Amino acid sequence: MNISKMVRRLAGKKRPLLPAALLAVGFCGWLCFYLLFNRTVTLPRSQAQVHTVVRGPYLETLVSRAIAIPHQSVILSSARGGKVTDIYTAPSAEVKRGDVIVRLSNYDFVLEVTSRIAAATEQINNLHNMRLLLERDSRDTRLELQKSAYNLLRLSKDVDRNRHLYDNSIIEKVTFEKLVDESEHWRKTSAILLEHHAKQSSMLPIQMREIDESVNQLMHLVDLIKEGLSQLEIVSPIDGVISSLDIKMGQQIKPGEKIALVDNLNDYYFEAYFSEFYLDNFIPPERVTARIGERQIPLVIHSVLPVVEKGKFKAMLKPVKGEKMTLKRGQSLDVEMSMALGRDALVIPTAALFSVQGRNYVYLYQRQSQQALRTPVTIKRRGRLHSEVAAGLRAGQQVMTFSGNDDLSNAPIIRLR
Protein backbone atom coordinates (compact mmCIF):
# COMPACT_ATOMS: atom_id res chain seq x y z
CA MET A 1 0.00 0.00 0.00
CA ASN A 2 2.74 2.40 0.82
CA ILE A 3 4.59 1.40 -2.32
CA SER A 4 1.60 2.35 -4.56
CA LYS A 5 1.33 5.76 -2.94
CA MET A 6 5.00 6.40 -3.48
CA VAL A 7 4.75 5.56 -7.22
CA ARG A 8 1.80 7.89 -7.71
CA ARG A 9 3.62 10.60 -5.86
CA LEU A 10 6.72 10.30 -8.11
CA ALA A 11 4.61 10.31 -11.30
CA GLY A 12 2.90 13.50 -10.17
CA LYS A 13 6.29 15.18 -9.74
CA LYS A 14 7.57 14.35 -13.37
CA ARG A 15 4.66 16.01 -15.25
CA PRO A 16 5.78 19.67 -14.69
CA LEU A 17 9.29 18.87 -16.07
CA LEU A 18 8.07 18.00 -19.66
CA PRO A 19 6.94 21.53 -20.73
CA ALA A 20 10.12 22.99 -19.34
CA ALA A 21 12.21 20.56 -21.40
CA LEU A 22 10.26 21.37 -24.58
CA LEU A 23 10.65 25.09 -23.93
CA ALA A 24 14.41 24.70 -23.50
CA VAL A 25 14.76 22.75 -26.78
CA GLY A 26 12.75 25.38 -28.68
CA PHE A 27 14.84 28.21 -27.28
CA CYS A 28 18.05 26.48 -28.30
CA GLY A 29 16.72 25.95 -31.86
CA TRP A 30 15.66 29.58 -32.16
CA LEU A 31 19.01 30.72 -30.84
CA CYS A 32 20.88 28.55 -33.38
CA PHE A 33 18.69 29.82 -36.25
CA TYR A 34 19.23 33.43 -35.18
CA LEU A 35 22.95 32.99 -34.84
CA LEU A 36 23.28 31.22 -38.19
CA PHE A 37 20.82 33.12 -40.37
CA ASN A 38 19.85 36.36 -38.66
CA ARG A 39 23.00 37.54 -37.11
CA THR A 40 24.05 41.20 -37.03
CA VAL A 41 27.70 41.82 -37.96
CA THR A 42 29.74 44.77 -36.78
CA LEU A 43 32.57 46.01 -39.00
CA PRO A 44 35.09 48.86 -38.80
CA ARG A 45 34.13 51.90 -40.86
CA SER A 46 37.44 51.61 -42.73
CA GLN A 47 36.36 48.30 -44.34
CA ALA A 48 33.23 49.76 -45.93
CA GLN A 49 32.81 51.94 -49.02
CA VAL A 50 29.63 53.83 -49.82
CA HIS A 51 28.38 54.12 -53.43
CA THR A 52 25.45 56.27 -54.58
CA VAL A 53 22.83 54.78 -56.88
CA VAL A 54 22.84 57.03 -59.96
CA ARG A 55 20.56 57.32 -62.96
CA GLY A 56 22.34 57.73 -66.26
CA PRO A 57 23.95 55.79 -69.11
CA TYR A 58 24.83 52.20 -68.41
CA LEU A 59 28.38 51.58 -69.62
CA GLU A 60 29.17 47.98 -70.37
CA THR A 61 32.80 46.95 -70.58
CA LEU A 62 33.28 44.44 -73.37
CA VAL A 63 36.43 42.35 -73.37
CA SER A 64 37.56 40.65 -76.55
CA ARG A 65 40.64 39.44 -78.37
CA ALA A 66 41.16 41.63 -81.44
CA ILE A 67 43.32 40.84 -84.44
CA ALA A 68 45.27 43.67 -86.08
CA ILE A 69 45.02 43.72 -89.88
CA PRO A 70 46.70 46.32 -92.11
CA HIS A 71 44.17 48.38 -94.01
CA GLN A 72 46.40 48.42 -97.10
CA SER A 73 47.88 45.09 -98.00
CA VAL A 74 49.06 43.73 -101.38
CA ILE A 75 49.62 40.11 -102.35
CA LEU A 76 52.42 39.84 -104.91
CA SER A 77 52.34 37.09 -107.53
CA SER A 78 53.49 36.45 -111.09
CA ALA A 79 50.99 35.91 -113.89
CA ARG A 80 53.57 33.90 -115.87
CA GLY A 81 55.55 32.11 -113.21
CA GLY A 82 59.13 31.02 -113.63
CA LYS A 83 62.30 30.07 -111.83
CA VAL A 84 63.59 32.22 -108.95
CA THR A 85 66.96 33.65 -109.97
CA ASP A 86 67.39 36.56 -107.55
CA ILE A 87 65.97 37.53 -104.14
CA TYR A 88 66.74 41.12 -103.24
CA THR A 89 65.19 41.44 -99.77
CA ALA A 90 64.09 39.43 -96.74
CA PRO A 91 60.92 39.00 -94.64
CA SER A 92 60.11 41.90 -92.27
CA ALA A 93 62.27 44.25 -94.37
CA GLU A 94 61.00 47.68 -95.29
CA VAL A 95 60.53 48.38 -98.99
CA LYS A 96 59.69 51.43 -101.08
CA ARG A 97 57.31 51.59 -103.97
CA GLY A 98 59.05 50.29 -107.09
CA ASP A 99 61.69 48.24 -105.25
CA VAL A 100 62.41 44.88 -106.93
CA ILE A 101 61.85 42.03 -104.48
CA VAL A 102 62.31 38.90 -106.62
CA ARG A 103 63.44 38.23 -110.19
CA LEU A 104 62.26 35.22 -112.21
CA SER A 105 63.38 33.63 -115.46
CA ASN A 106 61.03 32.00 -117.99
CA TYR A 107 62.58 31.02 -121.35
CA ASP A 108 59.27 30.13 -123.03
CA PHE A 109 57.72 33.42 -122.01
CA VAL A 110 60.72 35.43 -123.22
CA LEU A 111 60.59 33.59 -126.57
CA GLU A 112 56.86 34.29 -126.88
CA VAL A 113 57.36 37.98 -126.09
CA THR A 114 60.21 38.24 -128.60
CA SER A 115 58.07 36.63 -131.30
CA ARG A 116 55.22 39.05 -130.67
CA ILE A 117 57.58 42.02 -130.77
CA ALA A 118 58.97 40.81 -134.10
CA ALA A 119 55.46 40.40 -135.57
CA ALA A 120 54.38 43.86 -134.42
CA THR A 121 57.64 45.39 -135.73
CA GLU A 122 57.04 43.79 -139.12
CA GLN A 123 53.58 45.34 -139.28
CA ILE A 124 55.06 48.72 -138.39
CA ASN A 125 57.59 48.40 -141.20
CA ASN A 126 54.83 47.45 -143.66
CA LEU A 127 52.86 50.52 -142.70
CA HIS A 128 55.94 52.70 -143.13
CA ASN A 129 56.44 51.21 -146.59
CA MET A 130 52.81 51.85 -147.42
CA ARG A 131 53.24 55.45 -146.38
CA LEU A 132 56.28 55.78 -148.63
CA LEU A 133 54.34 54.30 -151.55
CA LEU A 134 51.51 56.76 -151.03
CA GLU A 135 53.93 59.65 -150.89
CA ARG A 136 55.70 58.38 -154.02
CA ASP A 137 52.39 58.02 -155.86
CA SER A 138 51.44 61.56 -154.88
CA ARG A 139 54.79 62.82 -156.08
CA ASP A 140 54.54 60.93 -159.39
CA THR A 141 51.03 62.28 -159.94
CA ARG A 142 52.27 65.82 -159.47
CA LEU A 143 55.16 65.20 -161.86
CA GLU A 144 52.86 63.74 -164.51
CA LEU A 145 50.48 66.63 -164.04
CA GLN A 146 53.35 69.05 -164.49
CA LYS A 147 54.53 67.19 -167.59
CA SER A 148 51.07 67.20 -169.17
CA ALA A 149 50.63 70.89 -168.44
CA TYR A 150 53.99 71.60 -170.07
CA ASN A 151 53.22 69.55 -173.19
CA LEU A 152 49.74 71.03 -173.48
CA LEU A 153 51.18 74.55 -173.32
CA ARG A 154 53.90 73.74 -175.85
CA LEU A 155 51.52 72.13 -178.33
CA SER A 156 48.97 74.89 -177.92
CA LYS A 157 51.64 77.38 -178.98
CA ASP A 158 52.68 75.16 -181.93
CA VAL A 159 49.06 74.86 -183.10
CA ASP A 160 48.61 78.62 -182.92
CA ARG A 161 51.81 79.24 -184.92
CA ASN A 162 51.13 76.61 -187.57
CA ARG A 163 47.48 77.52 -188.04
CA HIS A 164 48.49 80.56 -190.14
CA LEU A 165 50.84 78.44 -192.20
CA TYR A 166 48.19 75.80 -192.70
CA ASP A 167 45.65 78.41 -193.77
CA ASN A 168 48.13 79.69 -196.38
CA SER A 169 48.84 76.11 -197.50
CA ILE A 170 52.46 76.41 -196.51
CA ILE A 171 52.41 73.19 -194.44
CA GLU A 172 50.61 70.03 -195.12
CA LYS A 173 47.25 69.26 -193.64
CA VAL A 174 48.57 66.03 -192.07
CA THR A 175 51.25 67.88 -190.18
CA PHE A 176 48.84 70.41 -188.78
CA GLU A 177 46.21 67.78 -187.80
CA LYS A 178 48.95 65.81 -186.03
CA LEU A 179 49.74 68.84 -183.88
CA VAL A 180 46.05 69.35 -183.13
CA ASP A 181 45.55 65.68 -182.17
CA GLU A 182 48.63 65.64 -179.93
CA SER A 183 47.44 68.83 -178.21
CA GLU A 184 44.02 67.29 -177.61
CA HIS A 185 45.70 64.16 -176.21
CA TRP A 186 47.65 66.15 -173.60
CA ARG A 187 44.56 68.18 -172.77
CA LYS A 188 42.59 65.03 -171.91
CA THR A 189 45.58 63.56 -170.07
CA SER A 190 45.88 66.74 -168.03
CA ALA A 191 42.17 66.60 -167.17
CA ILE A 192 42.48 62.99 -165.99
CA LEU A 193 45.55 63.81 -163.91
CA LEU A 194 43.84 66.83 -162.37
CA GLU A 195 40.84 64.71 -161.34
CA HIS A 196 43.16 62.05 -159.90
CA HIS A 197 45.22 64.64 -158.07
CA ALA A 198 42.09 66.22 -156.56
CA LYS A 199 40.88 62.87 -155.23
CA GLN A 200 44.35 61.99 -154.05
CA SER A 201 44.71 65.32 -152.27
CA SER A 202 41.47 64.72 -150.35
CA MET A 203 42.19 61.09 -149.46
CA LEU A 204 45.92 61.23 -148.81
CA PRO A 205 45.72 63.10 -145.43
CA ILE A 206 43.14 60.59 -144.16
CA GLN A 207 45.26 57.63 -145.27
CA MET A 208 48.37 59.16 -143.73
CA ARG A 209 46.57 59.81 -140.44
CA GLU A 210 45.22 56.25 -140.32
CA ILE A 211 48.68 54.87 -141.03
CA ASP A 212 50.20 57.05 -138.31
CA GLU A 213 47.51 55.95 -135.82
CA SER A 214 48.09 52.31 -136.68
CA VAL A 215 51.83 52.76 -136.26
CA ASN A 216 51.32 54.44 -132.88
CA GLN A 217 49.00 51.65 -131.74
CA LEU A 218 51.48 49.02 -132.82
CA MET A 219 54.31 50.85 -131.09
CA HIS A 220 52.20 51.05 -127.93
CA LEU A 221 51.51 47.34 -128.31
CA VAL A 222 55.26 46.71 -128.58
CA ASP A 223 55.78 48.69 -125.37
CA LEU A 224 53.10 46.64 -123.63
CA ILE A 225 54.66 43.42 -124.86
CA LYS A 226 58.04 44.60 -123.58
CA GLU A 227 56.45 45.54 -120.26
CA GLY A 228 55.22 41.96 -120.10
CA LEU A 229 58.81 41.01 -119.45
CA SER A 230 58.52 43.03 -116.24
CA GLN A 231 56.20 40.29 -114.97
CA LEU A 232 59.37 38.39 -114.30
CA GLU A 233 60.33 41.14 -111.81
CA ILE A 234 58.25 41.16 -108.63
CA VAL A 235 58.06 44.83 -107.59
CA SER A 236 56.51 46.38 -104.48
CA PRO A 237 53.56 48.60 -105.47
CA ILE A 238 53.46 50.42 -102.11
CA ASP A 239 55.69 51.58 -99.28
CA GLY A 240 55.53 49.04 -96.50
CA VAL A 241 57.00 45.96 -94.85
CA ILE A 242 57.27 42.47 -96.30
CA SER A 243 55.11 40.33 -94.03
CA SER A 244 55.53 37.11 -96.02
CA LEU A 245 58.31 35.91 -98.35
CA ASP A 246 58.61 32.13 -98.27
CA ILE A 247 60.60 31.24 -101.40
CA LYS A 248 64.07 29.92 -102.17
CA MET A 249 66.61 30.39 -104.94
CA GLY A 250 65.91 28.07 -107.88
CA GLN A 251 62.32 27.45 -106.79
CA GLN A 252 59.81 27.05 -109.63
CA ILE A 253 56.91 29.46 -109.18
CA LYS A 254 53.58 28.57 -110.79
CA PRO A 255 51.47 31.21 -112.58
CA GLY A 256 49.38 33.11 -110.03
CA GLU A 257 51.19 31.58 -107.06
CA LYS A 258 51.65 33.86 -104.06
CA ILE A 259 55.22 35.11 -103.74
CA ALA A 260 55.17 37.86 -101.13
CA LEU A 261 52.85 39.98 -99.00
CA VAL A 262 53.51 43.70 -98.46
CA ASP A 263 51.67 45.55 -95.67
CA ASN A 264 51.38 49.25 -94.97
CA LEU A 265 52.03 49.40 -91.23
CA ASN A 266 50.79 52.98 -90.88
CA ASP A 267 47.08 52.12 -91.19
CA TYR A 268 45.31 49.32 -89.29
CA TYR A 269 41.88 48.05 -88.43
CA PHE A 270 40.84 45.46 -85.87
CA GLU A 271 38.63 42.41 -86.21
CA ALA A 272 37.03 41.22 -82.99
CA TYR A 273 34.19 38.91 -82.00
CA PHE A 274 31.49 39.88 -79.49
CA SER A 275 28.47 38.21 -77.95
CA GLU A 276 25.30 38.33 -80.06
CA PHE A 277 23.63 40.13 -77.12
CA TYR A 278 25.40 43.35 -78.19
CA LEU A 279 24.71 43.08 -81.94
CA ASP A 280 22.03 45.80 -81.97
CA ASN A 281 24.32 48.19 -80.09
CA PHE A 282 27.08 48.14 -82.72
CA ILE A 283 25.99 50.96 -85.03
CA PRO A 284 28.55 52.39 -87.50
CA PRO A 285 30.11 54.94 -87.28
CA GLU A 286 29.61 55.17 -83.50
CA ARG A 287 32.72 55.86 -81.46
CA VAL A 288 33.90 53.63 -78.65
CA THR A 289 36.92 53.61 -76.37
CA ALA A 290 39.25 50.64 -76.18
CA ARG A 291 41.95 49.94 -73.66
CA ILE A 292 45.08 48.20 -74.88
CA GLY A 293 47.28 47.57 -71.89
CA GLU A 294 47.47 50.89 -70.04
CA ARG A 295 46.64 52.94 -73.12
CA GLN A 296 43.18 54.22 -74.05
CA ILE A 297 42.53 54.36 -77.80
CA PRO A 298 39.45 55.94 -79.42
CA LEU A 299 37.97 53.64 -82.06
CA VAL A 300 35.21 53.92 -84.64
CA ILE A 301 32.86 51.03 -85.46
CA HIS A 302 33.55 50.79 -89.20
CA SER A 303 31.37 47.82 -90.11
CA VAL A 304 29.53 44.89 -88.55
CA LEU A 305 29.02 41.48 -90.10
CA PRO A 306 25.43 40.61 -89.05
CA VAL A 307 26.04 36.86 -89.18
CA VAL A 308 26.01 35.11 -85.82
CA GLU A 309 28.18 32.02 -85.49
CA LYS A 310 28.37 30.11 -82.24
CA GLY A 311 26.68 32.99 -80.42
CA LYS A 312 29.14 35.66 -81.65
CA PHE A 313 29.37 38.21 -84.46
CA LYS A 314 32.36 39.95 -86.05
CA ALA A 315 32.95 43.70 -86.01
CA MET A 316 35.61 45.79 -87.71
CA LEU A 317 36.98 48.66 -85.60
CA LYS A 318 39.24 51.43 -86.90
CA PRO A 319 41.36 53.85 -84.88
CA VAL A 320 40.38 57.49 -85.09
CA LYS A 321 42.51 59.42 -87.57
CA GLY A 322 45.80 60.57 -86.15
CA GLU A 323 46.13 57.64 -83.75
CA LYS A 324 49.51 55.98 -84.33
CA MET A 325 50.26 52.37 -83.39
CA THR A 326 53.14 50.05 -84.06
CA LEU A 327 51.69 46.62 -84.73
CA LYS A 328 52.22 43.64 -86.98
CA ARG A 329 49.83 41.70 -89.16
CA GLY A 330 47.90 39.12 -87.15
CA GLN A 331 49.03 40.49 -83.79
CA SER A 332 46.36 39.83 -81.19
CA LEU A 333 45.45 42.32 -78.49
CA ASP A 334 43.27 42.23 -75.40
CA VAL A 335 40.74 44.97 -76.01
CA GLU A 336 38.51 46.42 -73.31
CA MET A 337 35.80 48.52 -74.86
CA SER A 338 33.27 50.71 -73.06
CA MET A 339 29.85 50.92 -74.69
CA ALA A 340 26.69 52.72 -73.56
CA LEU A 341 23.86 50.16 -73.60
CA GLY A 342 21.25 52.18 -71.69
CA ARG A 343 20.68 55.92 -71.65
CA ASP A 344 18.44 56.09 -68.55
CA ALA A 345 19.38 53.35 -66.12
CA LEU A 346 19.90 52.87 -62.39
CA VAL A 347 23.56 51.93 -62.07
CA ILE A 348 25.41 50.40 -59.13
CA PRO A 349 28.84 48.80 -58.81
CA THR A 350 28.75 45.09 -59.58
CA ALA A 351 30.91 44.55 -56.50
CA ALA A 352 27.92 45.60 -54.32
CA LEU A 353 25.85 42.64 -55.57
CA PHE A 354 25.74 39.22 -53.95
CA SER A 355 23.45 36.22 -54.28
CA VAL A 356 21.70 34.07 -51.70
CA GLN A 357 19.76 31.02 -52.89
CA GLY A 358 19.48 32.41 -56.43
CA ARG A 359 18.31 35.91 -55.43
CA ASN A 360 20.31 39.14 -55.77
CA TYR A 361 20.87 41.43 -52.79
CA VAL A 362 22.71 44.61 -51.87
CA TYR A 363 23.45 46.25 -48.54
CA LEU A 364 21.45 49.48 -48.43
CA TYR A 365 23.23 52.09 -46.30
CA GLN A 366 21.34 53.95 -43.55
CA ARG A 367 23.31 57.05 -42.71
CA GLN A 368 21.46 57.95 -39.46
CA SER A 369 21.83 54.56 -37.83
CA GLN A 370 25.18 53.80 -39.45
CA GLN A 371 23.82 50.44 -40.60
CA ALA A 372 23.53 48.57 -43.88
CA LEU A 373 20.39 46.52 -44.44
CA ARG A 374 20.35 43.52 -46.76
CA THR A 375 17.89 44.45 -49.54
CA PRO A 376 16.69 42.27 -52.47
CA VAL A 377 17.05 43.78 -55.97
CA THR A 378 16.22 42.79 -59.53
CA ILE A 379 19.09 43.11 -62.00
CA LYS A 380 18.53 43.84 -65.72
CA ARG A 381 22.15 43.78 -66.86
CA ARG A 382 25.20 42.63 -64.98
CA GLY A 383 28.61 43.76 -66.22
CA ARG A 384 32.13 43.30 -65.00
CA LEU A 385 32.27 46.70 -63.29
CA HIS A 386 28.70 48.03 -63.23
CA SER A 387 25.20 46.58 -63.20
CA GLU A 388 21.79 47.98 -64.11
CA VAL A 389 19.04 47.68 -61.48
CA ALA A 390 15.50 46.99 -62.70
CA ALA A 391 13.73 47.10 -59.29
CA GLY A 392 14.49 47.39 -55.56
CA LEU A 393 16.42 50.70 -55.51
CA ARG A 394 15.95 54.31 -56.52
CA ALA A 395 18.33 57.06 -57.53
CA GLY A 396 20.11 58.77 -54.62
CA GLN A 397 20.15 55.76 -52.32
CA GLN A 398 23.48 54.37 -51.25
CA VAL A 399 24.82 50.83 -51.34
CA MET A 400 27.93 49.45 -49.73
CA THR A 401 30.86 47.31 -50.66
CA PHE A 402 33.22 45.78 -48.13
CA SER A 403 36.89 44.89 -48.16
CA GLY A 404 38.15 41.73 -46.59
CA ASN A 405 37.52 38.03 -47.13
CA ASP A 406 34.59 37.51 -44.72
CA ASP A 407 31.32 36.17 -46.17
CA LEU A 408 28.68 38.66 -45.03
CA SER A 409 25.81 37.46 -47.21
CA ASN A 410 23.91 35.83 -44.29
CA ALA A 411 23.90 38.95 -42.13
CA PRO A 412 20.65 40.96 -42.46
CA ILE A 413 22.26 43.98 -40.79
CA ILE A 414 25.81 45.28 -40.75
CA ARG A 415 26.73 47.89 -38.19
CA LEU A 416 29.62 50.25 -38.67
CA ARG A 417 31.74 51.40 -35.80
Side-chain angles (χ1 to χ4, degrees), residues 70-104:
H71 192 268
Q72 187 181 22
S73 181
V74 181
I75 297 176
L76 303 181
S77 62
S78 174
R80 291 292 179 173
K83 182 179 179 181
V84 178
T85 57
D86 295 290
I87 300 176
Y88 296 98
T89 186
S92 301
E94 293 186 2
V95 292
K96 298 293 184 181
R97 181 177 180 179
D99 288 352
V100 179
I101 299 174
V102 177
R103 190 186 300 276
L104 307 176

Side-chain angles (χ1 to χ4, degrees), residues 150 357 400 405 413:
Y150 166 75
Q357 296 180 351
M400 302 199 72
N405 299 323
I413 301 173

